Amino acid sequence: MLKYFTLLADKIIYDLLNLKEGTKLASSSHFFIEDTTKIFFLMTIMIYIISFIRAGLDSEVVKDKLEGKHPFLGYLSGAVLGSITPFCSCSSIPLFIAFTKAKIPTGYTMSFLITSPMINEVAVVLLWGMLGWKLTVMYIVSGILSGIIGGYFFDIIKSERFIKDLSEENAKIEKEIQGEITIKKRHEYALVEVIGIVKSLWKWIIIGVGVGALFHGYLPEKFISDIFSKKSWWTVPGVVLMGIPLYSSATAVIPGIKALIMKGLPYGTAIAFMMSTVAASTPEFVMLSKVMEKRMLVIFFFVLLFFFTTTGIIIN
C-alpha cells in the first residue's frame, strides 16, 4: 500500500517539477513529499480507528482487568505490542493517547511508546539483508528490553503524576456518546478527533519532516563518518543527539547507514544513529505534549538518549 506514496512523489518531482533524479534537491524534495503524505495518511487512519474503538470503551473496565496482574507481564505486553506494530514515532502517538485515556497503567503504555518506533519491521528486513542476522537480533532484543526496562523505570518514578489529567476529556466523551453507542455516534466522535488532532499538529509534522528531508538530501555522509568514526566515549551519544531532532523513515535512512558503515562508521554507532532518527523526532515530542507535562517530556528524552546510546555501545 505504501508504494503509492513513492509513486506520488515520483510523479510530482520527476514529471510535474521535472527535477533530475539523483540530485540533492530531487532527493530531498522526494523524501519530503513521500513522507509527509504517508505520515498524514497513516496518522489520520490510526486516529480514526482508535477513536472509533475508544468511543465504546469503558476505561474503568479496562483498568479493573489490568489490576492485580504481574507488572512484568504488562511491560512485556506493551513492548511486544510495540515491536509488532508498524508505526513510526509520529503514528504511534494516537495509540499511546488512547491507552492513556483508557487508564492503562503508565508504565505499560511507556513500554509500548519506547518500543513501537524503535523496532521497525522495515528496518528488521533491511538490516537482516545488509548486516546479517546476529546484529538484527541484537537490534530486536535491545528494543524489547528497552521497552521493559523503560516501563519499569517510569513506574518507579511514579510518572503518572506527570501525565495530564484526562478525566475531564473522558467525561466529555461519555457525555457526547451517552445512551446507545451507535455506529453513527462512533463515526462522528472519530471524525471530530481526527480534525482536532491533525489541525493542531500539521505544521509541526511538516517542520519535522522538512528537517529530515534536508538531512536526507544535503547532509554529507563523509561529514558524519569523519567525525563519528573515532572510537571515543562521546561518539555514540554525540551521533544520537544529532539524530533525535531529525526525522526519517527506516526505509530512507538505512541505505545511508550502510554507506556510513562502508566509510568506517562502527556498527553500533550507525545503528544508534538509525534508532535516534527513526524512533524519536520533533513532531513526536510536540504530539506528546498533549498528554505529558514538560518534566515528563524531558525525562522521556533522556531515557531515549540512554537506550539508544547503550545499544550502540553494546553493539560496538
Side-chain angles (χ1 to χ4, degrees):
M1 179 184 67
L2 298 180
K3 71 179 181 180
Y4 293 109
F5 297 100
T6 306
L7 296 175
L8 174 64
D10 287 345
K11 185 72 176 174
I12 294 172
I13 297 301
Y14 304 129
D15 294 344
L16 296 180
L17 298 180
N18 203 27
L19 295 179
K20 188 177 179 181
E21 190 171 355
T23 62
K24 291 180 178 180
L25 178 60
S27 176
S28 184
S29 303
H30 190 283
F31 175 90
F32 178 78
I33 291 172
E34 179 179 355
D35 273 55
T36 302
T37 52
K38 183 165 56 179
I39 287 174
F40 276 116
F41 174 79
L42 289 174
M43 189 172 69
T44 300
I45 295 298
M46 283 306 305
I47 293 170
Y48 181 88
I49 292 173
I50 293 164
S51 300
F52 190 89
I53 296 170
R54 170 77 186 98
L57 189 67
D58 189 330
S59 57
E60 292 298 329
V61 171
V62 174
K63 185 181 178 183
D64 291 342
K65 284 185 179 293
L66 288 170
E67 283 181 349
K69 304 246 180 187
H70 195 285
F72 176 78
L73 293 176
Y75 306 139
L76 179 62
S77 299
V80 170
L81 177 63
S83 68
I84 61 175
T85 49
F87 305 141
C88 64
S89 58
C90 291
S91 304
S92 60
I93 305 300
L95 194 51
F96 169 78
I97 293 174
F99 290 159
T100 303
K101 288 180 179 177
K103 298 184 179 178
I104 293 175
T106 305
Y108 304 171
T109 61
M110 293 306 296
S111 292
F112 166 81
L113 186 63
I114 291 167
T115 309
S116 180
M118 201 169 173
I119 300 180
N120 183 289
E121 285 71 15
V122 176
V124 169
V125 173
L126 292 177
L127 284 175
W128 192 296
M130 290 193 299
L131 304 180
W133 68 269
K134 291 181 182 179
L135 283 174
T136 306
V137 169
M138 288 183 73
Y139 160 69
I140 295 169
V141 171
S142 69
I144 292 176
L145 283 176
S146 296
I148 294 171
I149 296 168
Y152 178 60
F153 167 77
F154 280 106
D155 269 350
I156 286 178
I157 65 170
K158 301 187 183 303
S159 59
E160 61 273 7
R161 61 203 166 113
F162 301 132
I163 300 293
K164 293 180 180 178
D165 185 11
L166 299 174
S167 56
E168 198 173 304
E169 190 168 341
N170 281 342
K172 183 183 175 184
I173 294 169
E174 289 165 10
K175 185 178 179 181
E176 287 176 355
I177 57 176
Q178 61 185 341
E180 185 183 355
I181 305 171
T182 62
I183 298 294
K184 184 182 178 183
K185 282 186 178 181
R186 287 176 181 246
H187 168 71
E188 289 173 350
Y189 169 71
L191 210 56
V192 169
E193 284 285 283
V194 168
I195 293 170
I197 294 175
V198 172
K199 189 176 179 181
S200 65
L201 296 174
W202 68 269
K203 61 183 177 183
W204 298 107
I205 292 173
I206 288 176
I207 291 170
V209 178
V211 172
L214 289 173
F215 154 74
H216 181 75
Y218 290 94
L219 191 64
E221 292 162 354
K222 189 175 184 302
F223 170 77
I224 299 176
S225 62
D226 286 348
I227 293 178
F228 296 106
S229 60
K230 302 170 186 176
K231 293 183 179 178
S232 301
W233 66 268
W234 57 268
T235 53
V236 177
V239 82
V240 168
L241 279 171
M242 182 180 179
I244 283 181
L246 305 175
Y247 173 81
S248 185
S249 64
T251 312
V253 78
I254 287 179
I257 292 300
K258 184 181 180 182
L260 289 171
I261 290 172
M262 291 174 67
K263 290 182 179 180
L265 198 69
Y267 287 115
T269 309
I271 289 176
F273 181 62
M274 179 200 75
M275 284 181 162
S276 64
T277 55
V278 173
S281 63
T282 304
E284 176 189 12
F285 283 93
V286 173
M287 294 168 79
L288 284 174
S289 66
K290 290 174 64 68
V291 291
M292 290 183 183
E293 293 181 3
K294 289 180 181 178
R295 285 175 292 180
M296 180 75 162
L297 289 173
V298 172
I299 294 169
F300 183 54
F301 173 85
F302 282 106
V303 165
L304 291 179
L305 176 63
F306 171 78
F307 284 132
F308 299 155
T309 303
T310 303
T311 299
I313 290 172
I314 289 172
I315 291 176
N316 279 346

